[in-house]
């Protein structure tokens, strides 16, 4: 694997992903073989946003590899609260740690951090943009359960606009073929254009739907998501979308006997308690898989980056704010270079108008 940072699932080639999948299987089978694999290595977890699964699974992953962990779970306990820029924080922490995991509320923050880091950066969620290590967890789980990434009917339900796990998931699947994506949401919470476009021109079909009950019988996988309250401008706006999609036992009776229910978690009210004990509900197993996948990722990234990079670029200050996505990191960290590819902002992928 020849990877410097992990910002997007598709930073990995299919060969990289297959290698990571196989390594994860081996770690699960024989964890003792890896118990000292990262001895002497330090992982930093920089969480500017709350987390249970991602943060703890990364920390546990490093501890199970024999390494050490530093970091913050709340930026107010660090010098970020004094106004320190992302760039300065990254430059400082990369002098202490060998690999960094970062979650930030702004789209594109992990990519921005990677511009200034001599050590690997792993994106643990950047705003409403991407969450690639959740996608690794999802892809690992799907292959274990279904044995394929093709010819599947996949329903994605809930907040498809703000749900970063959905965006990463769809981008990852754009490499495979003959899948039918059922995008089940209100029209307000449909996937953003840049995500839709990633599968639009592939050998996969997209069906948009607004009624879960009507299409659940078609699905092999149902990927439920939470309405992302923290991403709405007002609570009133959130309340117009909350509680519309609720999976319960009576809906599950209409589903195929081998359909699986996935969820990145946390869940709030979109899955009723009576679904948790249904053997088709695999979200707790999915979360546990995340720890093993992250062990494999840490190992491969540390191996690929034994030497620190010294060729970091020096960027000129931008002349103006160029991205019209108000949630883009480039609008907060104003020293970030103006990076544009195919008429889209490189940080958050929104088209520039
Ligand atoms: N799935 C996920 O990202 O969960 P956390 O927010 O608890 O990390």
């Amino acid at each position: 694997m020849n990877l410097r940072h992990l910002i997007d699932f598709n930073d990995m080639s299919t060969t990289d992903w297959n290698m990571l999948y196989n390594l994860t299987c081996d770690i699960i089978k024989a964890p003792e073989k890896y118990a000292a694999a990262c001895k002497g290595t330090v992982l930093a977890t920089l969480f500017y946003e709350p987390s249970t699964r991602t943060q703890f699974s990364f920390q546990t992953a490093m501890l199970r590899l024999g390494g050490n962990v530093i970091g913050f779970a709340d930026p107010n306990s660090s010098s970020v609260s004094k106004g320190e820029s992302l760039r300065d924080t990254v430059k400082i922490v990369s002098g202490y740690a060998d690999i960094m995991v970062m979650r930030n509320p702004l789209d594109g923050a992990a990519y921005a951090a990677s511009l200034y880091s001599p050590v690997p950066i792993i994106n643990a969620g950047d705003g409403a943009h991407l969450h690639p290590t959740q996608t690794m967890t999802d892809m690992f789980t799907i292959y274990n359960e279904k044995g394929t990434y093709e010819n599947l009917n996949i329903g994605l339900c809930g907040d498809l606009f703000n749900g970063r796990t959905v965006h990463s998931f769809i981008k990852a699947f754009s490499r495979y073929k003959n899948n039918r994506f059922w995008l089940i949401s209100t029209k307000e919470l449909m996937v953003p254009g840049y995500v839709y476009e990633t599968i639009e021109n592939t050998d996969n079909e997209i069906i948009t739907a607004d009624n879960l009950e009507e299409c659940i019988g078609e699905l092999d996988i149902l990927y439920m998501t939470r309405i992302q309250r923290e991403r709405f401008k007002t609570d009133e706006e959130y309340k117009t979308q909350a509680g519309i999609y609720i999976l319960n036992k009576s809906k599950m009776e209409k589903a195929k006997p081998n359909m699986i229910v996935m969820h990145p978690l946390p869940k709030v009210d979109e899955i009723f308690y009576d679904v948790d004990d249904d053997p088709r509900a695999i979200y707790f197993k999915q979360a546990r898989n995340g720890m093993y996948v992250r062990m494999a990722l840490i190992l491969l990234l540390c191996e690929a980056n034994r030497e620190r990079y010294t060729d970091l670029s020096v960027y000129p200050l931008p002349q103006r704010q160029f991205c019209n996505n108000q949630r883009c990191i480039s609008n907060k960290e104003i020293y970030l270079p103006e990076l544009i590819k195919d008429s889209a902002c490189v940080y958050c992928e929104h088209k520039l108008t």
Side-chain angles (χ1 to χ4, degrees):
M1 183 146 134
N2 184 22
L3 198 62
R4 185 160 165 185
H5 305 286
L6 195 280
I7 308 300
D8 183 329
F9 182 90
N10 289 351
D11 289 342
M12 285 183 298
S13 65
T14 308
T15 310
D16 290 339
W17 168 243
N18 292 342
M19 187 198 299
L20 200 142
Y21 178 92
N22 290 332
L23 180 58
T24 306
C25 292
D26 202 53
I27 290 170
I28 292 173
K29 205 168 75 189
E32 66 287 351
K33 255 168 56 184
Y34 300 93
C38 283
K39 196 166 182 290
T41 307
V42 177
L43 171 88
T45 54
L46 278 53
F47 276 67
Y48 294 72
E49 250 192 359
S51 167
T52 297
R53 275 144 292 273
T54 313
Q55 186 186 191
F56 291 146
S57 64
F58 262 116
Q59 291 176 344
T60 318
M62 191 48 147
L63 295 174
R64 285 178 186 270
L65 292 168
N68 297 297
V69 178
I70 60 167
F72 58 76
D74 173 2
N76 291 322
S77 67
S78 77
S79 285
V80 174
S81 65
K82 301 172 196 162
E84 186 162 61
S85 69
L86 182 72
R87 176 172 66 169
D88 288 0
T89 303
V90 166
K91 284 185 170 195
I92 296 300
V93 179
S94 62
Y96 306 148
D98 304 291
I99 182 164
M100 280 195 274
V101 177
M102 200 182 85
R103 170 172 289 187
N104 189 286
L106 292 172
D107 302 0
Y111 180 77
S114 74
L115 300 179
Y116 304 104
S117 177
V119 304
I121 298 269
I122 299 174
N123 183 4
D126 59 325
H129 184 213
L130 299 173
H131 192 346
T133 65
Q134 178 62 48
T135 302
M136 292 180 184
T137 303
D138 301 340
M139 299 297 272
F140 183 80
T141 305
I142 287 172
Y143 201 81
N144 283 358
E145 300 290 327
K146 296 288 177 192
T148 181
Y149 295 128
E150 296 183 344
N151 305 306
L152 296 167
N153 272 281
I154 304 172
L156 295 146
C157 180
D159 190 347
L160 311 188
F161 183 72
N162 295 300
R164 56 193 173 200
T165 63
V166 169
H167 306 163
S168 281
F169 185 100
I170 290 176
K171 287 187 80 177
F173 262 98
S174 67
R175 291 175 165 185
Y176 300 97
K177 58 182 193 300
N178 297 335
N179 295 297
R180 186 176 291 150
F181 287 94
W182 299 74
L183 303 180
I184 309 159
S185 75
T186 62
K187 63 178 186 326
E188 291 83 3
L189 297 185
M190 187 44 67
V191 291
Y194 74 88
V195 176
Y196 195 91
E197 283 161 19
T198 60
I199 38 170
E200 202 178 26
N201 299 317
T202 65
D203 294 330
N204 296 288
E205 190 184 344
I206 307 169
I207 297 178
T208 52
D210 61 6
N211 189 314
L212 173 59
E213 204 156 3
E214 279 173 16
C215 52
I216 195 167
E218 304 286 337
L219 306 178
D220 302 305
I221 298 169
L222 172 58
Y223 194 98
M224 292 295 293
T225 61
R226 175 177 67 89
I227 307 298
Q228 308 267 304
R229 187 176 205 146
E230 65 277 24
R231 309 266 177 243
F232 285 81
K233 286 199 185 87
T234 64
D235 218 39
E236 283 64 42
E237 219 177 295
Y238 163 73
K239 283 178 185 153
T240 65
Q241 299 294 324
I244 294 176
Y245 297 104
I246 297 181
L247 181 66
N248 55 21
K249 200 172 176 174
S250 79
K251 288 196 185 92
M252 287 297 284
E253 281 165 8
K254 297 189 170 142
K256 291 179 188 172
N258 64 347
M259 183 191 82
I260 54 171
V261 183
M262 301 179 72
H263 194 306
L265 304 178
K267 59 185 169 70
V268 185
D269 59 1
E270 63 279 6
I271 298 184
F272 197 66
Y273 300 101
D274 59 8
V275 177
D276 285 356
D277 295 327
D278 188 311
R280 292 171 291 180
I282 60 160
Y283 28 83
F284 294 116
K285 197 199 292 187
Q286 180 188 352
R288 186 163 167 76
N289 285 340
M291 178 182 71
Y292 296 113
V293 170
R294 289 175 176 120
M295 285 173 79
L297 177 64
I298 291 170
L299 257 177
L300 290 178
L301 271 179
C302 286
E303 264 171 30
N305 294 278
R306 291 225 179 276
E307 302 299 319
R308 279 167 190 251
Y309 284 86
T310 50
D311 61 340
L312 293 175
S313 303
V314 176
Y315 297 98
L317 288 174
Q319 297 300 306
R320 60 184 170 85
Q321 286 301 286
F322 61 94
C323 181
N324 49 12
N325 169 16
Q326 289 310 306
R327 301 195 295 200
C328 178
I329 187 77
S330 67
N331 284 313
K332 168 152 189 296
E333 307 278 332
I334 56 168
Y335 52 83
L336 286 171
E338 184 173 313
L339 297 178
I340 297 167
K341 190 176 167 205
D342 300 333
S343 308
C345 170
V346 166
Y347 299 97
C348 70
E349 299 186 75
H350 282 249
K351 284 270 181 238
L352 302 176
T353 50

